[in-house]
Amino acid sequence: MTPIRLLPLALILLPLAGCGSLPLTEEPSARYSTRTTVLDEVAAAAAISAYRVQHGLSPVVVDPGLVKAASFQAGNNARHGQLSHDVGGSFTSRMNAAGLARSYAAENLSAGAESFDEVFARWKRSTEHNKNMLIPQIRRIGIARVDAPDTRYKRFWALVMAGG
């Protein structure tokens, strides 16, 4: 595998290694079998960037800290089998823990979409999710998918976006 092809893998494994300030403790649960799945964050950032550029906005880059924040929230939703911005703490408290207290930040969640293309299309159709992706100050993103096959939705997505 070439070093460039390893980048997406490194971007997902680095946050899972436990660096940074977000708590990574998982609540014990026998009901859910969750698995964080390697996702091509670079391809997702490219798609979101192209969409933003179509709307006269700047592109975005993948930020490992935001990948960690997205993984944390997607995992919490998967473990609880529900879609909520408050599972795992309020968005504000989670962003403060990620060091984004004084930055523009937003979060899109989804459940059940099979692929990034499907979830991205859903977010574009949703007024509030679309508005988040088109915040002019956004420059960095983190995206994660956690599979939870024993839950109603089977797959949970989180996109965390922040300013420069």
Side-chain angles (χ1 to χ4, degrees):
M1 208 178 272
T2 65
I4 291 176
R5 298 217 13 105
L6 287 175
L7 181 60
L9 179 60
L11 290 174
I12 194 69
L13 293 179
L14 179 64
L16 296 176
C19 59
S21 60
L22 270 179
L24 288 180
T25 55
E26 296 183 13
E27 296 174 18
S29 174
R31 290 180 38 186
Y32 305 115
S33 168
T34 62
R35 179 172 53 93
T36 301
T37 306
V38 175
L39 175 67
D40 190 347
E41 296 94 355
V42 174
I48 293 167
S49 290
Y51 183 63
R52 287 176 54 82
V53 168
Q54 286 174 355
H55 288 86
L57 301 171
S58 65
V60 296
V61 297
V62 175
D63 179 297
L66 296 180
V67 172
K68 182 176 180 177
S71 296
F72 178 78
Q73 194 59 14
N76 277 312
N77 278 268
R79 278 186 294 286
H80 287 86
Q82 67 182 32
L83 194 59
S84 169
H85 289 280
D86 295 321
V87 171
S90 71
F91 178 69
T92 301
S93 68
R94 289 184 288 107
M95 293 305 97
N96 286 341
L100 298 170
R102 301 185 193 278
S103 176
Y104 285 92
E107 175 178 74
N108 286 357
L109 301 177
S110 187
E114 287 293 317
S115 67
F116 170 75
D117 290 340
E118 183 181 344
V119 76
F120 187 42
R122 287 181 184 184
W123 286 332
K124 288 192 289 189
R125 286 191 306 266
S126 164
T127 302
E128 290 305 313
H129 292 106
N130 190 56
K131 190 184 304 183
N132 285 344
M133 291 190 299
L134 297 177
I135 294 171
Q137 295 83 358
I138 295 300
R139 300 287 185 270
R140 302 174 290 133
I141 68 157
I143 187 165
R145 181 185 96 198
V146 175
D147 292 339
D150 298 333
T151 66
R152 170 183 172 197
Y153 297 109
K154 311 284 186 235
R155 184 165 283 171
F156 294 82
W157 298 83
L159 170 65
V160 178
M161 301 156 278

